[in-house]
Amino acid sequence: MSDTIFGKIIRGEIPAERVYEDDHCIVINDISPQAPIHRLVIPKQSIAKLCDANEDHRALLGHLMWVAAKVANDAGIGDACRFVINNGEGGGQTVFHLHVHVLGGIEMSEQTL
Ligand code: AMP
């Protein structure tokens, strides 16, 4: 498990409301939302960034995509949303525990994130 803020949230060391949880991931609201709906899908297994994933992670990566779509549908933004994975410092990643941003509730074509 990573020693990042997300590792601490998953271990319960830092409180965060879990919008969704299953055996493989949690979903929380982003603390600094870039859109009216901004959720983070975070695997319980720590992978620092997407490009560190290996063949053993294929099922988990598929699961994260499925949960991201479910979260968007449940929030009513299934027809107008954006899924973002920042990868590496140069890719804008600030927390090195893989996560999928789910953004919506605003005209996404006007957003740059
Ligand atoms: P990234 O820049 O792709 O690594 O995204 C990290 C995201 O985590 C940012 O959008 C932050 O606002 C968010 N974040 C950081 N700390 C927390 C926290 N304690 N609870 C919820 N979201 C957080």
Side-chain angles (χ1 to χ4, degrees), residues 29-102:
N29 288 314
D30 197 293
I31 204 168
S32 176
Q34 304 299 306
I37 293 166
H38 186 171
R39 304 210 162 123
L40 302 170
V41 182
I42 306 170
K44 290 183 176 176
Q45 180 182 351
S46 166
I47 304 166
K49 62 184 192 298
L50 180 61
C51 285
D52 289 343
N54 61 43
E55 209 172 333
D56 293 342
H57 296 127
R58 286 187 306 175
L60 175 61
L61 296 179
H63 183 72
L64 296 177
M65 289 298 104
W66 179 80
V67 171
K70 174 180 166 40
V71 163
N73 283 325
D74 288 352
I77 57 169
D79 288 325
C81 61
R82 182 167 293 166
F83 304 104
V84 174
I85 300 175
N86 294 322
N87 185 87
E89 220 172 288
Q93 186 175 4
T94 58
V95 179
F96 286 83
H97 181 131
L98 172 66
H99 51 283
V100 182
H101 295 258
V102 180

